[in-house]
Amino acid sequence: MKLLLIRLCFATALFTVGIVPVALASDTAVILMYHRFGESHLPTTNTTVAQLEDHIAALQDGGYTVVPLADVVSALNGEHNLPPRAIAITVDDAYRSFLTTGWPRFKAAGFPVTLFVATEGVDAGYSDTLTWNEILTLQRDGVVIGAHSHNHSHFPSLSAATVAQDLAEMSAAFERALGDVPDVFAYPYGEAGRADMTAVRNAGFVAGFGQHSGAVGPLADRFYLPRFALNEQFGRLERFRLIIETLPLPVVSISPVDPVLQSNPPAITIELTDSLPNLENVTCFGPSGEQLNVVAGTNTVSVNPTSSFPAGRARLNCTLRSVDRLTQGRWYWYGWQMIAEFESEGIAVHPRYR
Ligand SMILES: [Zn+2]
């Protein structure tokens, strides 16, 4: 880690002494999330090989820099700048197709990847899930391992004690299998309430990742960071080119602050640090893709859904095209995932995503 920091400081120094203009240094990034590769019988979590190769080619061609996820986190903490158009790649659930199909292509492109692993499925030896030996091999090959719970349960449906127990069992499993516990965490299904975020922070993790869309910047909540989910539907090249260009809206707070909703539909208020010249053009979409009623103030956006969100994950997406001279035409994208209702503790949840 120390070596990495020295290397990063050196890279940042290059930015500041003029080899690359200072204005190009950035504090924003886009984080991508994949699950399966070349498994077209499961299109909702799969990316086809052709799509993956298109994505890699797009990232190689367009002035992007794929950086380790840890660099995004430390940049958000103000420790250094990121290169312009920084992208981080994450993969959830440790399916075997990452080893056979995804990683060889990312590795050939020189792209770092973080693999978020739910430990119980690996311990159980599911046929489509990597073994600990395979995960260890990937780690030695440069893949960074992240944590993704033990049981892959819906955290907001669990008591605080059960969440704490799951995190403890997960950490013990990582310690046993890899000799170390990861320092970044991805919530199963991207679902987290404030209590779950606190539990993950208290367990020693430095960042928590959701599955809501959006770019990240210095104002982003370190324990509820957005990632753009890619699958066969959302991995089309045209959309991919759009999301890797997105910018974070300068959102300083959202109300209600807890993603686990106490009232449904919620009255949502997003507060920005600054007014954007065309904020009145912001458009927000609800969980079914429906356009929501929005009122833009000087530096606030009020979103007023007129009907209840369906039970479970409820994603909000707000977008605005930039009219800034340096970023003109790119989209600001702010996403947030709420839990409209959740299952009660005791319902058996299969430890694999979908
Ligand atoms: Zn998962």
Side-chain angles (χ1 to χ4, degrees):
M1 179 53 104
K2 194 178 269 180
L3 268 179
L4 178 68
L5 280 177
I6 291 166
R7 225 169 55 225
L8 281 168
C9 292
F10 179 65
T12 306
L14 291 184
F15 282 118
T16 53
V17 296
I19 292 175
V20 176
V22 172
L24 289 183
S26 168
D27 55 6
T28 75
V30 169
I31 306 171
L32 307 175
M33 181 194 65
Y34 293 90
H35 276 98
R36 299 175 183 268
F37 303 93
E39 296 188 77
S40 281
H41 57 292
L42 297 163
T44 58
T45 50
N46 184 55
T47 299
T48 68
V49 171
Q51 285 176 323
L52 175 60
E53 291 180 347
D54 280 350
H55 295 178
I56 290 172
L59 292 172
Q60 287 174 320
D61 285 349
Y64 303 95
T65 307
V66 180
V67 299
L69 189 64
D71 289 10
V72 174
V73 175
S74 50
L76 295 182
N77 288 335
E79 293 172 26
H80 57 87
N81 285 321
L82 288 167
R85 290 180 162 83
I87 308 287
I89 297 171
T90 67
V91 178
D92 282 16
D93 293 351
Y95 294 119
R96 178 153 292 107
S97 62
F98 172 62
L99 173 71
T100 59
T101 309
W103 174 238
R105 288 168 174 80
F106 288 127
K107 185 184 177 188
F111 292 172
V113 175
T114 295
L115 178 70
F116 285 103
V117 176
T119 49
E120 190 177 68
V122 185
D123 281 347
Y126 291 125
S127 61
D128 64 349
T129 300
L130 297 172
T131 65
W132 282 119
N133 270 339
E134 289 168 330
I135 291 169
L136 203 53
T137 302
L138 284 166
Q139 192 179 36
R140 289 183 181 136
D141 207 24
V143 173
V144 172
I145 305 302
H148 193 41
S149 84
H150 186 56
N151 182 246
H152 208 290
S153 298
H154 299 267
F155 272 16
S157 73
L158 304 177
S159 68
T162 307
V163 169
Q165 185 184 344
D166 181 273
L167 294 174
E169 287 177 9
M170 176 196 73
S171 295
F174 276 123
E175 193 72 55
R176 206 164 45 235
L178 305 180
D180 201 6
V181 180
D183 63 1
V184 288
F185 188 90
Y187 304 100
Y189 315 100
E191 294 177 1
R194 282 288 150 197
D196 307 311
M197 299 177 204
T198 301
V200 165
R201 182 195 294 262
N202 289 346
F205 294 94
V206 300
F209 296 85
Q211 289 187 16
H212 44 291
S213 299
V216 299
L219 297 170
D221 186 329
R222 299 302 178 276
F223 285 87
Y224 205 40
L225 291 166
R227 296 183 293 165
F228 280 102
L230 295 162
N231 61 13
E232 291 193 13
Q233 182 188 352
F234 293 113
R236 297 184 313 274
L237 185 58
E238 184 185 28
R239 180 177 184 273
F240 186 79
R241 288 190 191 283
L242 186 150
I243 65 175
I244 56 180
E245 285 283 300
T246 55
L247 303 161
L249 265 181
V251 172
V252 68
S253 70
I254 182 169
S255 171
V257 68
D258 193 338
V260 176
L261 297 177
Q262 300 302 310
S263 62
N264 187 13
I268 301 165
T269 304
I270 299 165
E271 186 189 350
L272 284 67
T273 48
D274 302 305
S275 181
L276 295 170
N278 60 336
L279 189 58
E280 74 276 8
N281 294 334
V282 70
T283 310
C284 294
F285 299 90
S288 306
E290 74 280 22
Q291 191 166 339
L292 300 173
N293 176 31
V294 167
V295 179
T298 309
N299 65 332
T300 57
V301 177
S302 300
V303 186
N304 302 296
T306 51
S307 55
S308 294
F309 289 165
R313 293 189 284 284
R315 290 186 191 143
L316 172 74
N317 285 291
C318 294
T319 58
L320 175 68
R321 201 181 267 273
S322 171
V323 293
D324 184 271
R325 189 176 58 83
L326 291 174
T327 57
Q328 198 156 28
R330 295 168 67 183
W331 288 92
Y332 292 104
W333 192 318
Y334 177 75
W336 191 250
Q337 179 171 279
M338 292 157 278
I339 309 295
E341 287 173 27
F342 47 89
E343 297 159 67
S344 300
E345 186 166 8
I347 291 180
V349 177
H350 197 279
R352 286 182 290 177
Y353 184 67
R354 290 185 197 162

